[in-house]
Amino acid sequence: MNHPDKSNHSLLCNENPWNNNSNNIWLGSTIILHRNLEKFKFPGKLSTDKRKQIISLLTRDLLTNEELKKPKLIRAEDMPPIEKEFLVEHFLSDQSFHQAYAGEAFVLDETGEFLAILNLRDHILLQWIDPREELENTWDRLVKVELGLNKSVNFAFSPKFGFLTSDAALCGTGLKVTVFLHLPTLLHSERLEDILKKNKDDGVEQTGLQGDPNEVIGDIVAFHNSYTLGVTEENILSSLRTLATKLVVEEKSLRQH
């Protein structure tokens, strides 16, 4: 007999990308692109029918994208709470999906590395998790997915403000990159703050695992780009790689000491 709350699909991916990480300091990274379609209001101003129309437009090509391995569409109204929580934890999301309902959906592929979020804050968020310190390669793969979509739909774009998003702070590239570093030695020796001051980068912000800068869980510190407007995607990736590499070296050195 089936449990009444059990859905007909499983979000447990056939592959676990986190097993591919051999670095016990640089635990992983997330790369997220925020995009919206032309001629549609942002999701918060749309009717359920319009939201469903957007899902149809976006998934038509997303589900056949050559960069993805057996992608599947999962509608939010068909998901029990435990599956929504799985998505949050597996993809290191700083937002909750528990309020997702009709007209909102997710697409993920079999690798467990790719997730598309439809109609939550923007029409689509394209996210790839990187467990191998391959920021640039992961970015290239995400761009290919975006270009595949862009062949059949037009994204909202302004010559002055770049890609338009529901959160004005994310306009421009619409790109948010976050790296997660396990830094217990630097934290407990109170050396982290000094090192960050010496390597000050206004383009990078520090926060905690759940997005709260004042709450460090498990000695894991997250760093993400401060700006998406007025910088290039290459600038964002370079800034985060440079800082992460320096912190990994410092953490290793202090551990040996």
Side-chain angles (χ1 to χ4, degrees):
M1 181 177 177
N2 291 331
H3 191 283
D5 292 333
K6 186 175 180 180
S7 61
N8 294 324
H9 49 74
S10 173
L11 291 183
L12 298 177
C13 306
N14 292 338
E15 300 178 34
N16 182 358
W18 300 112
N19 289 336
N20 299 323
N21 185 357
S22 59
N23 191 326
N24 61 4
I25 299 176
W26 189 334
L27 302 182
S29 314
T30 61
I31 300 181
I32 303 176
L33 271 179
H34 296 251
R35 294 292 184 262
N36 288 281
L37 303 186
E38 279 186 344
K39 301 177 181 178
F40 284 93
K41 296 178 180 178
F42 292 130
K45 296 292 185 179
L46 289 178
S47 65
T48 300
D49 287 343
K50 285 290 186 183
R51 289 170 177 242
K52 290 181 178 179
Q53 182 183 348
I54 287 174
I55 291 174
S56 178
L57 284 171
L58 291 170
T59 56
R60 183 176 55 198
D61 294 296
L62 198 57
L63 293 176
T64 57
N65 194 290
E66 294 180 355
E67 288 297 312
L68 305 178
K69 183 179 179 182
K70 297 182 181 178
K72 55 188 174 184
L73 169 66
I74 304 169
R75 300 183 188 278
E77 63 266 30
D78 297 332
M79 297 172 66
I82 193 170
E83 291 190 342
K84 293 176 183 177
E85 184 63 29
F86 166 81
L87 286 183
V88 171
E89 294 182 1
H90 180 85
F91 288 95
L92 298 172
S93 174
D94 61 358
Q95 62 176 305
S96 172
F97 301 144
H98 287 293
Q99 301 304 315
Y101 57 96
E104 298 167 355
F106 306 89
V107 173
L108 68 159
D109 79 344
E110 215 172 43
T111 67
E113 296 183 10
F114 173 82
L115 174 69
I117 305 167
L118 307 177
N119 287 332
L120 262 73
R121 296 181 182 174
D122 292 297
H123 294 147
I124 185 166
L125 268 67
L126 299 171
Q127 175 173 343
W128 215 297
I129 54 175
D130 163 37
R132 294 174 290 271
E133 307 149 62
E134 297 177 351
L135 286 179
E136 293 78 11
N137 289 341
T138 304
W139 165 243
D140 287 342
R141 296 172 73 184
L142 199 56
V143 167
K144 289 177 181 176
V145 174
E146 182 208 24
L147 290 175
L149 281 173
N150 208 190
K151 290 178 181 178
S152 58
V153 297
N154 293 322
F155 294 124
F157 184 85
S158 160
K160 185 176 181 180
F161 298 109
F163 290 101
L164 302 179
T165 58
S166 60
D167 181 350
L170 292 169
C171 287
T173 60
L175 172 65
K176 184 177 180 181
V177 180
T178 306
V179 298
F180 298 87
L181 304 180
H182 188 227
L183 305 172
T185 317
L186 288 175
L187 283 168
H188 294 288
S189 65
E190 299 182 351
R191 292 275 301 277
L192 179 59
E193 191 172 335
D194 291 337
I195 293 172
L196 291 175
K197 285 180 180 177
K198 291 178 182 177
N199 298 280
K200 184 172 176 58
D201 187 340
D202 292 334
V204 178
E205 289 184 357
Q206 173 187 342
T207 186
L209 185 60
Q210 296 293 326
D212 184 347
N214 300 313
E215 184 180 17
V216 176
I217 300 172
D219 296 328
I220 297 172
V221 184
F223 298 91
H224 64 85
N225 53 300
S226 307
Y227 310 112
T228 59
L229 182 63
V231 292
T232 66
E233 293 87 351
E234 290 74 20
N235 291 152
I236 293 170
L237 292 167
S238 176
S239 293
L240 284 159
R241 175 169 287 285
T242 299
L243 179 61
T245 301
K246 287 179 180 177
L247 289 173
V248 168
V249 170
E250 293 284 355
E251 176 71 15
K252 281 183 178 179
S253 174
L254 197 55
R255 286 185 187 187
Q256 289 174 355
H257 176 72

